[in-house]
Amino acid sequence: MKFNFNSAKPIFLQVAEQIEDAIFTGTFKEGSQIPSTTEISKNFQINPATVLKGMNILVDNQLLEKRRGRGTFVSVGAQSKIIKNRQENFYNDYIVNLVHEAKNLNIDEIQIIDLIKRGYKA
């Protein structure tokens, strides 16, 4: 994990995003225990409350689960939830704007598909 202490993005959000990325890439496998709040805070010199706040976002989103006296674990199905969420964000962030701009340029659906195919070949 790497944190940008000069970023406008709060550290607790960076913690949540980096743990989510580790689940997405398979670094943290479903069912496996992740490093404790204390471990992360000591290793990266971050306030434990800040780390906990980031982890709690993922608990609230059901990507992590806390097991009393045992630690925090990656929830079963977490990776597929992340993929589904990122696909939905991709649609909202890119596809909606692409279609809107294509309509403004009088580019029809077939032409968009051809352009996408061309992009995959590049």
Side-chain angles (χ1 to χ4, degrees):
M1 289 187 209
K2 294 182 181 178
F3 300 99
N4 182 350
F5 295 98
N6 296 318
S7 173
K9 183 177 291 187
I11 298 300
F12 75 92
L13 287 178
Q14 292 181 48
V15 169
E17 287 176 356
Q18 291 197 34
I19 294 171
E20 181 181 301
D21 282 345
I23 296 167
F24 174 71
T25 62
T27 302
F28 293 153
K29 306 269 187 228
E30 293 182 3
S32 70
Q33 186 173 13
I34 66 165
S36 70
T37 303
T38 304
E39 288 176 81
I40 294 171
S41 66
K42 282 184 180 178
N43 287 338
F44 299 100
Q45 299 178 343
I46 299 171
N47 185 311
T50 301
V51 175
L52 182 61
K53 189 172 180 179
M55 291 172 108
N56 282 337
I57 291 171
L58 302 179
V59 170
D60 292 344
N61 291 334
Q62 300 176 343
L63 300 176
L64 295 178
E65 59 185 55
K66 293 180 180 181
R67 297 182 189 164
R68 190 174 193 90
R70 295 189 56 218
T72 305
F73 293 78
V74 178
S75 300
V76 173
Q79 190 177 43
S80 62
K81 284 181 186 178
I82 292 168
I83 291 169
K84 182 178 179 182
N85 186 47
R86 289 183 180 197
Q87 287 173 340
E88 187 63 27
N89 288 341
F90 177 80
Y91 172 78
N92 291 325
D93 295 344
Y94 297 100
I95 303 302
V96 170
N97 291 328
L98 171 81
V99 171
H100 177 75
E101 186 65 17
K103 286 179 180 179
N104 287 341
L105 296 169
N106 294 317
I107 298 173
D108 65 27
E109 183 179 346
I110 303 295
Q111 290 171 308
I112 291 174
I113 292 169
D114 288 341
L115 290 170
I116 291 170
K117 287 179 180 178
R118 187 170 113 197
Y120 269 97
K121 290 177 184 176

